[in-house]
Amino acid sequence: MKKQLSILSLAVLLLSMSSCATVFGGKVTDAQRTKPAAGQPSREIRTGALIADILLFLPGLAVDFATGAIYRP
């Protein structure tokens, strides 16, 4: 029973850390959600959140890019 509880708590912890920029990045602004128009500079990516997503839980990277939270405000 203790082993199952520890495995379950570890799984919950991993899922909660699944997308670092979404969880810890704060509120996502409109500038982060919209793609830049042609001729405008591209958006900068939060490198710390990118590295954390790659090291901790790779599918979280897709969540961060989908929500726009990976981009700097």
Side-chain angles (χ1 to χ4, degrees), residues 17-29 31-36 42-55 57-73:
M17 299 296 289
S18 65
S19 53
C20 293
T22 303
V23 174
F24 299 113
K27 186 177 179 183
V28 177
T29 63
Q32 290 172 291
R33 287 189 189 125
T34 57
K35 292 183 180 179
S42 62
R43 300 175 283 183
E44 293 183 29
I45 294 177
R46 296 178 181 177
T47 54
L50 178 68
I51 292 169
D53 279 340
I54 291 171
L55 292 176
F57 192 65
L58 196 59
L61 195 61
V63 173
D64 286 342
F65 275 106
T67 60
I70 196 79
Y71 300 108
R72 291 185 183 188

